[in-house]
Amino acid sequence: MLIKDMAARLQITPRAIRYYEEKGLIKPQKADESGYRHFTEEDVWKLQTVVTLREVGMQIEDIRLVMEKMEDQQGSLLHHLELQRSVLYSRWVEMSKLIQTTETMIERVKHDGVMDAAALYELAEGNKRLRQTRDNWVDRWNFDQIADHYDELVLGEREGFNPHENYEYVLDTVVAAANPQEGEQGLDAGIGTGNLASRFALRGIHMSGFDQSLQMLQRCRQKHPFIPTKLGTFFAIPFLENGFDFVVTSYAMNHLTDEQKLLALAEFNRVLKPGGRLVIADLMFIDQAERERHLRALRDAGEEEAIRIIEDKWYADRSRLIEGLQDLGFEVQAKRLTRYVHLLLANPR
């Protein structure tokens, strides 16, 4: 078909088609003498893909990579679409925060009658710091690399220091604390390979999950194909507001700094239904004083490997988490489960 036929079929302009051709996304054949572009059904399919990816905001360079890999790498398009969805949720959450900041600025100006430049600057800087806190997270632990043997790491016997001791007991305790009821919707934040979410699903509870590691998600989908999962982060949970009766998370927040943990708590609150509850089981110290005492005792005992493992992550300050949850309107019950794992049950006031 000719370019005008292609444009009519896909409801786009010939100019757009020429643009995508210039960018190398499609390569129609040209007649020997007329110079007219001749498009095949394969060109139609490729252009439909391009238009679809542009609709969800994917950049031209990223689309080119997708198109190059689609024929060679099974699942590449799905992977890139999942990445794009994660990016869109991040932008959406950031835009929501900007809107909230702007609304606060407007209300302050209305109330004061004048524009306090210093106060407005403070609000803007606060929003900037939040964005930087979200953007500064890096996967230093290579979860994509350890996904295939993650279960062995947490379930296997280990000599010496073991932050995952009594792992299955911890997960069972999370389920009991969440107290899931028939018909409820639950979310596993940082689902990993699905060891926690599957316990709920086997009780007939509808569970969803997200994780920042595609390989961990692929392993989870192999083990538990009945649990829907998404690629996403704790700072932009890839679900809309008020969708879940409860949120659970285990052994995941220790990969977030104290400031990032507070952002994650706000995201948990966003996706919970009114009256929803939250259960966290993770590596923690009661407060900074307990952390310092414990590290000092390990140092005196020559337990350098244990110190290295603890300092490789961000064991939570339980008191700060409780304070953050209380600021969000939760009542919190705390319990130590193992030497390092604490459980927090947060219910709305």
Side-chain angles (χ1 to χ4, degrees), residues 41-84:
E41 286 298 323
E42 183 179 357
D43 293 322
V44 173
W45 177 82
K46 287 182 178 179
L47 193 53
Q48 284 175 327
T49 302
V50 170
V51 172
T52 300
L53 296 180
R54 286 293 288 164
E55 282 293 321
V56 297
M58 191 175 287
Q59 300 299 310
I60 292 295
E61 289 302 317
D62 294 329
I63 294 176
R64 180 182 291 111
L65 291 175
V66 172
M67 301 297 287
E68 290 174 354
K69 294 179 180 179
M70 274 176 58
E71 296 180 0
D72 301 327
Q73 183 179 345
Q74 186 176 4
S76 177
L77 176 58
L78 177 61
H79 177 195
H80 281 79
L81 284 173
E82 288 195 298
L83 283 173
Q84 185 65 14

Side-chain angles (χ1 to χ4, degrees), residues 6-280:
M6 183 82 147
R9 180 166 172 178
L10 296 181
Q11 296 296 298
I12 59 175
T13 66
R15 181 179 179 182
I17 297 174
R18 293 189 188 98
Y19 173 74
Y20 295 137
E21 182 184 357
E22 289 171 5
K23 294 298 182 180
L25 300 179
I26 55 173
K27 298 177 181 179
Q29 295 180 350
K30 292 184 179 180
D32 292 338
E33 301 200 6
S34 68
Y36 287 118
R37 295 167 178 81
H38 289 262
F39 296 88
T40 65
E41 286 298 323
E42 183 179 357
D43 293 322
V44 173
W45 177 82
K46 287 182 178 179
L47 193 53
Q48 284 175 327
T49 302
V50 170
V51 172
T52 300
L53 296 180
R54 286 293 288 164
E55 282 293 321
V56 297
M58 191 175 287
Q59 300 299 310
I60 292 295
E61 289 302 317
D62 294 329
I63 294 176
R64 180 182 291 111
L65 291 175
V66 172
M67 301 297 287
E68 290 174 354
K69 294 179 180 179
M70 274 176 58
E71 296 180 0
D72 301 327
Q73 183 179 345
Q74 186 176 4
S76 177
L77 176 58
L78 177 61
H79 177 195
H80 281 79
L81 284 173
E82 288 195 298
L83 283 173
Q84 185 65 14
R85 178 175 61 190
S86 179
V87 168
L88 289 171
Y89 268 102
S90 296
R91 291 176 182 171
W92 176 59
V93 169
E94 182 174 342
M95 188 60 64
S96 298
K97 298 297 182 184
L98 287 172
I99 292 172
Q100 290 174 14
T101 299
T102 304
E103 293 285 3
T104 302
M105 289 178 173
I106 291 171
E107 290 304 314
R108 184 165 294 184
V109 170
K110 286 180 177 179
H111 180 269
D112 297 339
V114 295
M115 184 170 68
D116 184 342
L120 296 181
Y121 178 79
E122 181 182 347
L123 282 171
E125 282 297 296
N127 197 75
K128 180 180 177 181
R129 287 193 297 272
L130 286 176
R131 183 172 65 253
Q132 290 173 338
T133 300
R134 289 194 298 269
D135 294 343
N136 285 341
W137 189 85
V138 177
D139 180 6
R140 299 190 289 107
W141 305 272
N142 296 316
F143 283 104
D144 281 346
Q145 300 295 320
I146 67 173
D148 287 340
H149 57 276
Y150 175 79
D151 289 346
E152 297 174 19
L153 292 175
V154 297
L155 290 167
E157 295 293 330
R158 180 189 299 184
E159 295 183 2
F161 184 83
N162 181 15
H164 292 97
E165 64 175 332
N166 297 322
Y167 177 76
E168 296 194 89
Y169 159 72
V170 170
L171 300 193
D172 289 338
T173 305
V174 171
V175 176
N179 190 24
Q181 303 298 308
E182 184 178 356
E184 287 191 325
Q185 304 275 334
L187 174 68
D188 187 351
I191 191 172
T193 62
N195 294 329
L196 176 57
S198 62
R199 281 168 158 77
F200 289 92
L202 291 174
R203 292 186 174 206
I205 305 300
H206 186 277
M207 292 296 295
S208 299
F210 73 88
D211 203 282
Q212 61 80 31
S213 166
L214 183 65
Q215 295 302 317
M216 294 287 269
L217 286 179
Q218 288 180 345
R219 182 73 182 118
C220 179
R221 291 163 183 171
Q222 291 169 357
K223 292 171 56 182
H224 313 294
F226 48 86
I227 299 177
T229 58
K230 294 183 180 181
L231 190 69
T233 73
F234 281 86
F235 319 123
I237 294 177
F239 295 91
L240 300 178
E241 289 99 335
N242 311 133
F244 298 100
D245 298 285
F246 63 88
V247 173
V248 293
T249 183
S250 63
Y251 297 97
M253 293 185 70
N254 60 86
H255 301 99
L256 311 177
T257 66
D258 287 342
E259 292 73 20
Q260 290 168 342
K261 287 180 176 66
L262 297 180
L263 294 180
L265 296 183
E267 276 294 276
F268 296 156
N269 190 48
R270 177 181 68 79
V271 299
L272 279 170
K273 295 178 181 179
R277 57 203 185 276
L278 168 66
V279 183
I280 300 171

